[in-house]
Amino acid sequence: MTGNNENMVDLLIGLGLSRTEAQTYEALLHMDSISIRKIAASTGINRGTTYDALKHLTQLGLVSVKQGSSGREGYVAESPEIIYEMIREKRRDLLDAANMAKKLVPELLAQSNTAEGRPLVRYYEDDGGVVTILKDVLQTCRDMNTPAYYAYSSSRIRQYVYRKFPLFTKRRIDEGIHVKVIAVGKGGEVAEKSERKWLPESPGDDTSSYTLIYGNKVATISIADDDTPYGVVIEDAGVAAMQRLLFERLWSLLK
């Protein structure tokens, strides 16, 4: 196979076709109306498997059956433009699945909390884990009547929090999410839809953590000894309420 042929096969596999089906369709693109025997000879796939592949490809609309002048059936590849419709259909299916997940996942998590009567605790590692936490902040705030959250920021960890999600602040602003930040140590700028107050950093203090209070969750992002970030999210209404109360009291005392 040439590079383009291999790319076509990979594309079709990505859209849900088996490798046999993808190779059969790709081979037909370069042939006129042709019999199963000749298709199988071209691809090196046995006739029975080729027949099953052609049957499914016909159902998908990628292949049609033509009656030749001799009365024998031949198979013809339809225009590859039909792949666009397959992609649109796949996109619709994914959107439907995402909408269903939006409804079901919170219900399942709520059932888990109720059944055990315990908070949910999740641990995340590396920059990818930090990105997952930040996306959860955005998603949780979207579900609020008044989208907002609180954060404690420290100068040492600030550089690690958004390095793999540099557009977080833009996303937050675009989605109308407000944040109040208590920053420990110098640095950090006030952006749109945000307020910030500062706490002085005392010599010797090890304030290498970043805490977010959002919805019924409290997330803490820290740095390991090898400068690898990690995070812990506690989902518990009581814990979040207490942290929110302490934040608001401290906020009222700062200028």
Side-chain angles (χ1 to χ4, degrees):
M1 277 192 195
T2 66
N4 285 339
N5 294 349
E6 291 175 353
N7 291 338
M8 172 60 81
V9 169
D10 290 341
L11 171 62
L12 292 170
I13 291 173
L15 290 173
L17 273 66
S18 68
R19 177 165 291 278
T20 296
E21 292 164 349
Q23 289 175 336
T24 299
Y25 175 73
E26 195 282 326
L28 273 173
L29 285 172
H30 309 287
M31 303 175 184
D32 294 325
S33 180
I34 191 171
S35 66
I36 293 177
R37 180 179 61 80
K38 290 183 178 179
I39 298 170
S42 173
T43 60
I45 300 168
N46 68 63
R47 292 191 197 182
T49 304
T50 298
Y51 174 79
D52 291 337
L54 288 168
K55 184 177 178 181
H56 189 218
L57 289 169
T58 301
Q59 292 170 348
L60 293 173
L62 285 166
V63 168
S64 60
V65 182
K66 304 292 184 184
Q67 201 80 23
S69 56
S70 63
R72 293 183 178 180
E73 290 184 343
Y75 292 86
V76 178
E78 294 293 339
S79 169
E81 288 182 341
I82 198 170
I83 292 173
Y84 292 132
E85 179 55 35
M86 293 176 65
I87 293 171
R88 284 191 288 269
E89 186 65 31
K90 182 75 71 174
R91 184 183 294 123
R92 284 192 290 268
D93 290 343
L94 287 172
L95 286 173
D96 289 343
N99 289 331
M100 186 176 293
K102 257 184 176 177
K103 179 178 182 296
L104 292 178
V105 171
E107 290 178 0
L108 291 171
L109 289 175
Q111 289 172 7
S112 176
N113 272 342
T114 302
E116 298 182 8
R118 299 175 181 175
L120 287 175
V121 181
R122 299 182 180 87
Y123 178 77
Y124 300 90
E125 289 186 332
D126 303 325
D127 290 300
V130 173
V131 171
T132 299
I133 293 173
L134 294 176
K135 288 182 176 179
D136 187 50
V137 172
L138 294 175
Q139 181 60 57
T140 301
C141 288
R142 287 188 202 108
D143 297 334
M144 297 178 180
N145 292 328
T146 306
Y149 68 96
Y150 297 156
Y152 292 101
S153 168
S154 69
S155 56
R156 183 187 168 194
I157 197 174
R158 208 170 284 139
Q159 61 179 311
Y160 297 97
V161 176
Y162 304 109
R163 67 180 177 183
K164 293 297 181 180
F165 196 172
L167 295 178
F168 174 83
T169 299
K170 182 180 185 303
R171 284 271 301 276
R172 175 185 65 76
I173 294 169
D174 289 345
E175 296 181 24
I177 298 171
H178 191 275
V179 59
K180 286 184 177 179
V181 180
I182 294 178
V184 181
K186 297 180 179 180
E189 298 179 357
V190 177
E192 189 178 341
K193 296 187 183 300
S194 72
E195 300 175 69
R196 182 180 293 265
K197 293 185 178 181
W198 282 265
L199 272 174
E201 193 172 28
S202 301
D205 283 352
D206 184 16
T207 54
S208 56
S209 68
Y210 195 103
T211 301
L212 303 122
I213 306 161
Y214 59 105
N216 290 333
K217 304 172 187 178
V218 177
T220 300
I221 300 170
S222 300
I223 298 294
D225 291 340
D226 62 354
D227 286 338
T228 300
Y230 65 90
V232 177
V233 177
I234 300 174
E235 184 173 355
D236 181 87
V239 170
M242 175 60 75
Q243 291 300 317
R244 193 172 287 107
L245 173 64
L246 294 173
F247 184 98
E248 290 170 349
R249 292 290 176 86
L250 180 56
W251 181 270
S252 68
L253 296 174
L254 295 173
K255 295 182 179 179

